[in-house]
Structure formats: structure tokens, C-alpha cells
Amino acid sequence: QVQLVESGGGSVQAGGSLRLSCTASRTISGTYMGWFRQAPGKEREGVVCIKPRGSIGYADDSEAGRVTISHDKSKNTVYLQMNNLKPEDTAMYYCAAGGTACLSVRAYRHWGQGTQVTVSS
């Protein structure tokens, strides 16, 4: 079993930035790793993933300049950098690992507990 621990959430004003971190209890390789979010009353949805060979997949390609995912293998940590945050980005953010597909919730085996991001206008 792999434990994933997220951190870095918080409350920011629109236009601000946050970097979320997700540290795994052991090395994970050869699978998809991703960030998902769930707003109140809505289903969990994928944001961005790193594929096994290192390429990145976005739920919305137009977000590529505003949202960045990276993986520091030496620290077993995946990061989500979000810039120019908008109120609609408000959600609980979850990292996931052990995936067999990029942005499918059902494809992931390991999940963190989530970290809250709140963006005020």
C-alpha cells in the first residue's frame, strides 16, 4: 500500500498562485500520477497527469500555461503549480498514483486525503 500526503492548499485571492505537493511513502514508477479536484456538489474531475514516460496530459489543454505538474523522483513528490487562480478553481484537490489511464478517477489505485484550495474574488 502507498500513502500519499498532500499539502500546500490554502485561501488566496483571484490572480494568486499556489503550489500543491504530494509526497508518496515509497517510490512509484511506471504508472500514471495525477491531480484531481472536487468542488462541493460536483463529481471529482481530473486536472492534469504525468504519464509513465513523462509526458503530461491536461483535462483542458488551454490550461497548460496556467497549471503545471512536475515530479521530483528523488523526493517521491509530485507538485501542482497553479497560477492566475480563479474562484472556479475552488475545490478539494487530490493527488493520485498507480493509475492506468491519465484522468480517469476509476483508473487510480492510490489517493491522498486532499488539500483545500479556496479562491476569493
Side-chain angles (χ1 to χ4, degrees):
Q1 187 68 16
V2 176
Q3 278 74 50
L4 302 175
V5 179
E6 300 105 330
S7 62
S11 297
V12 298
Q13 289 191 328
S17 298
L18 281 174
R19 187 177 79 156
L20 309 184
S21 300
C22 172
T23 300
S25 57
R26 62 172 176 83
T27 299
I28 301 174
S29 61
T31 69
Y32 292 77
M33 294 178 287
W35 283 95
F36 293 75
R37 67 186 182 185
Q38 187 167 17
K42 295 189 177 181
E43 293 188 355
R44 192 171 299 188
E45 62 179 8
V47 178
V48 63
C49 83
I50 290 182
K51 301 176 184 180
R53 294 187 178 184
S55 62
I56 295 172
Y58 290 91
D60 181 350
D61 288 336
S62 68
E63 292 289 314
R66 193 173 73 91
V67 173
T68 305
I69 187 172
S70 59
H71 182 204
D72 187 335
K73 295 181 180 179
S74 68
K75 297 181 179 179
N76 290 338
T77 299
V78 177
Y79 301 97
L80 177 66
Q81 176 72 42
M82 299 185 290
N83 301 319
N84 191 23
L85 282 159
K86 308 170 186 178
E88 51 263 44
D89 293 317
T90 295
M92 185 72 79
Y93 282 73
Y94 299 89
C95 72
T100 57
C102 185
L103 293 170
S104 170
V105 172
R106 285 186 243 178
Y108 284 81
R109 184 175 178 186
H110 309 293
W111 290 86
Q113 82 289 350
T115 185
Q116 179 68 38
V117 171
T118 302
V119 184
S120 58
S121 58

